[in-house]
Amino acid sequence: MIKDQKIPDATIERVALYLRPLEDLIKLGVHVISSDRLAEMCKVNPAQVRKDLSYFGGFGVRGVGYNIHDLIFEIKKILASDREWKLGIAGLDDMGMALLQHKNFFKRGYKFVAAFDSDPKKIGQRLPIGLTIQPIRKIKPMAQDLGIEIGVITTSPLQAQVVADMFFDAGIKAILNFSPIHIRRPDCCLVQNVDFSVTLDQLAYRLSKEV
Amino acid sequence: MIKDQKIPDATIERVALYLRPLEDLIKLGVHVISSDRLAEMCKVNPAQVRKDLSYFGGFGVRGVGYNIHDLIFEIKKILASDREWKLGIAGLDDMGMALLQHKNFFKRGYKFVAAFDSDPKKIGQRLPIGLTIQPIRKIKPMAQDLGIEIGVITTSPLQAQVVADMFFDAGIKAILNFSPIHIRRPDCCLVQNVDFSVTLDQLAYRLSKEV
DNA sequence: ACTTTATTGTGAAATATTGCACATGTATAA
DNA sequence: TTATACATGTGCAATATTTCACAATAAAGT
Ligand SMILES: NC(=O)c1ccc[n+]([C@@H]2O[C@H](COP(=O)([O-])OP(=O)(O)OC[C@H]3O[C@@H](n4cnc5c(N)ncnc54)[C@H](O)[C@@H]3O)[C@@H](O)[C@H]2O)c1
Ligand SMILES: NC(=O)c1ccc[n+]([C@@H]2O[C@H](COP(=O)([O-])OP(=O)(O)OC[C@H]3O[C@@H](n4cnc5c(N)ncnc54)[C@H](O)[C@@H]3O)[C@@H](O)[C@H]2O)c1
């Protein structure tokens, strides 16, 4: 275990990535894996895998490898994804609905417990998942009642900051933002942006550099 | 201009990010911006902004700042997003449909020119955007006819590799993958993954480290 | 003209991250 | 037992990235 050290963000991202192939392997009845093999599956350097994992403690066995079951357990503990997280979502058009309906989040412990929109035509609609769309003024009371921990924003970009502020005001400390704007936030709060256009721009750049 | 140097991936990502506030400013009638102000808007270090931009040439004016119009033009040229890119998409359920309908991609030059699914109930469906859902065996001929450059994958994870291979086989050199698996690819091809669960895991981790 | 103020562009220092290489430990087989 | 093969954990060197700090330059004011 590397003690007292700041863990690189890149490590956190990679470690989350390791989870998927590991879960697949368990399903296939494989129980042990080497850093070499895991590295190959994730297209990273084997030493990188070992170093990433060693930040959190040495759970491998020399000459053998890592017990996959334990590894999954440890990684989830590290990421704090070994528990349930309660999500609220604002903006229930195509994108919001797709996210809400998606089963993977639920499976991984990310549970939508409330849905908000500002459109009178949407408010009151009952969703397949069992929730009813609420007006945004309910954000604060419901966030507190239900213990919402993460706010997901899929409103139009113009409204995203307003909604973010309502989430923050309701005591929510983290936002996953799908709208293409930079959200201003209090120092105590976290924002993680997902912007597909930026991802496409990166692809376009890399494509154009190819021979 | 910093000559002959490898441009960090992080720079490419940030530069794509700078685009949005710049476009907003133009709309507001602002024509010049300093690295300080742009940095503040994007929550990065001002020197970082200057260095990022200087990789591509010095288009600022000392004592004045950057001409926003020129900057947008230069950034788009850098990213190769100053032209149209043709996209094909496979997997037209919630996620695929949301992407297809989304107007921002179109506005930024990313145009869906074909849509594929394997579900007989979906094949033949006419989409609002003017396309008809095609069977996946049409990927190769249509990719070549229409000149598809980027393949978007929103199929179920189990089918994602198969579809990716069909894209590669059709001569498509870049894939934007939304399914939660690691796509194997030929060396000549690019894959960019988008995995919201990983993003949520990162948020969960950071939340759990807060005081 | 000169001074002041603003702001870029970039070497160089400071940090951060990655990858190598090998000592160390485990398992297996002879 | 001992030898052999295998694979982790990590110090350290190699790279990469970020940030500082300041000379260079432009504009505005006096
Ligand atoms: N919906 C979300 O919010 C969300 C979020 C994150 C990731 N994803 C991922 O995006 C993908 C799509 O998710 P979804 O929610 O739209 O639902 P989904 O997985 O039900 O949809 C899959 C679609 O792909 C089609 N398909 C299956 N095999 C195919 C093949 N071989 N060729 C072409 N099409 C094929 C199916 O007919 C269906 O239309 C999944 O991999 C999912 O994990 C979805
Ligand atoms: N659809 C996509 O594929 C896609 C892709 C990338 C990004 N996005 C982004 O995700 C967001 C949502 O996109 P969309 O395609 O679902 O369509 P959209 O922008 O049409 O949907 C916006 C939804 O938010 C609701 N809304 C508006 N103001 C609100 C407020 N103040 N409070 C609560 N709800 C409010 C609207 O009623 C509507 O239901 C947008 O910011 C978009 O740029 C979407």
Side-chain angles (χ1 to χ4, degrees):
Chain A
M1 164 116 63
I2 298 170
K3 57 178 187 314
D4 219 33
Q5 214 173 321
K6 206 237 160 231
I7 296 164
D9 283 351
T11 291
I12 297 303
E13 190 169 338
R14 274 191 304 270
V15 163
L17 231 45
Y18 299 157
L19 222 42
R20 294 226 191 269
L22 292 174
E23 283 173 339
D24 293 345
L25 286 170
I26 279 283
K27 284 198 205 113
L28 295 173
V30 183
H31 292 283
V32 173
I33 193 169
S34 67
S35 57
D36 266 45
R37 183 127 163 54
L38 181 55
E40 196 206 321
M41 290 197 297
C42 301
K43 282 255 180 176
V44 297
N45 181 295
Q48 183 85 82
V49 169
R50 295 198 295 277
K51 180 143 297 189
D52 283 343
L53 296 177
S54 78
Y55 279 110
F56 307 103
F59 18 80
V61 182
R62 288 165 196 233
V64 179
Y66 298 88
N67 178 294
I68 298 180
H69 221 278
D70 295 355
L71 200 49
I72 292 173
F73 178 82
E74 292 294 343
I75 290 179
K76 289 197 170 174
K77 203 168 71 187
I78 292 160
L79 295 173
S81 71
D82 58 344
R83 69 170 184 87
E84 252 182 58
W85 289 92
K86 294 194 178 138
L87 317 186
I89 186 168
L92 292 235
D93 208 342
D94 295 342
M95 192 66 196
M97 285 295 192
L99 293 174
L100 205 60
Q101 239 115 309
H102 191 52
K103 290 168 297 293
N104 275 14
F105 296 134
F106 193 87
K107 273 193 225 145
R108 293 186 142 243
Y110 297 104
K111 316 224 159 164
F112 289 101
V113 298
F116 306 95
D117 206 295
S118 61
D119 183 347
K121 284 195 288 295
K122 301 218 156 136
I123 294 167
Q125 249 181 57
R126 184 124 192 128
L127 302 168
I129 193 188
L131 302 174
T132 303
I133 298 181
Q134 303 290 335
I136 49 173
R137 65 183 161 74
K138 288 275 186 71
I139 288 181
K140 192 164 184 175
M142 289 186 76
Q144 285 163 358
D145 275 10
L146 300 170
I148 298 175
E149 295 158 298
I150 300 176
V152 177
I153 295 185
T154 45
T155 64
S156 60
L158 283 174
Q159 297 299 313
Q161 183 67 54
V162 175
V163 170
D165 291 338
M166 295 179 85
F167 277 142
F168 294 138
D169 181 53
I172 293 170
K173 293 269 178 298
I175 282 184
L176 178 59
N177 171 43
F178 286 85
S179 85
I181 65 153
H182 183 92
I183 300 271
R184 285 182 305 281
R185 61 168 175 78
D187 283 339
C188 63
C189 297
L190 305 170
V191 174
Q192 193 96 28
N193 295 295
V194 175
D195 189 330
F196 308 152
S197 292
V198 170
T199 316
L200 276 171
D201 286 346
Q202 276 170 277
L203 259 190
Y205 172 79
R206 291 165 62 202
L207 263 179
S208 71
K209 296 293 128 191
E210 297 275 297
V211 270
Chain B
M1 163 117 63
I2 299 171
K3 55 175 191 312
D4 219 35
Q5 214 172 323
K6 206 233 160 236
I7 296 163
D9 284 351
T11 290
I12 298 303
E13 191 170 336
R14 274 191 304 270
V15 163
L17 232 44
Y18 299 156
L19 223 42
R20 293 224 191 272
L22 292 175
E23 284 173 340
D24 293 345
L25 286 171
I26 279 282
K27 284 198 206 112
L28 296 174
V30 183
H31 291 284
V32 173
I33 193 169
S34 67
S35 57
D36 265 45
R37 182 125 163 58
L38 181 54
E40 196 206 323
M41 290 197 295
C42 300
K43 281 254 182 183
V44 296
N45 180 297
Q48 182 83 83
V49 170
R50 295 197 296 277
K51 180 141 293 192
D52 282 343
L53 296 176
S54 78
Y55 278 110
F56 307 102
F59 17 81
V61 181
R62 287 165 198 234
V64 180
Y66 299 87
N67 177 295
I68 298 180
H69 221 276
D70 295 354
L71 199 50
I72 291 173
F73 179 82
E74 293 294 343
I75 290 178
K76 288 198 170 175
K77 204 168 69 184
I78 293 159
L79 296 175
S81 71
D82 58 344
R83 69 168 182 89
E84 251 182 59
W85 289 92
K86 294 191 178 140
L87 316 187
I89 186 169
L92 296 216
D93 208 342
D94 295 342
M95 191 65 196
M97 286 294 194
L99 293 175
L100 205 60
Q101 241 115 306
H102 189 52
K103 291 167 297 293
N104 274 14
F105 297 133
F106 192 87
K107 272 193 226 146
R108 293 186 143 244
Y110 297 105
K111 316 225 157 161
F112 288 101
V113 297
F116 306 96
D117 207 296
S118 60
D119 183 345
K121 285 195 287 296
K122 302 217 156 136
I123 294 166
Q125 250 181 56
R126 183 122 193 131
L127 301 168
I129 192 188
L131 303 174
T132 302
I133 299 181
Q134 303 289 335
I136 48 173
R137 66 183 161 74
K138 287 277 185 70
I139 287 181
K140 192 164 183 175
M142 289 186 75
Q144 285 164 357
D145 276 9
L146 300 170
I148 298 175
E149 296 158 297
I150 298 175
V152 178
I153 296 185
T154 44
T155 65
S156 59
L158 284 173
Q159 296 299 312
Q161 183 66 54
V162 175
V163 171
D165 290 339
M166 295 177 86
F167 278 142
F168 294 139
D169 181 51
I172 293 170
K173 293 270 180 296
I175 283 184
L176 178 60
N177 171 43
F178 286 85
S179 86
I181 65 154
H182 182 93
I183 299 270
R184 286 181 306 282
R185 59 167 176 82
D187 282 339
C188 63
C189 297
L190 305 169
V191 174
Q192 193 96 28
N193 296 296
V194 176
D195 190 330
F196 308 152
S197 291
V198 170
T199 315
L200 276 170
D201 286 346
Q202 276 170 276
L203 257 191
Y205 172 78
R206 291 165 61 201
L207 263 179
S208 72
K209 297 294 127 184
E210 297 277 295
V211 269

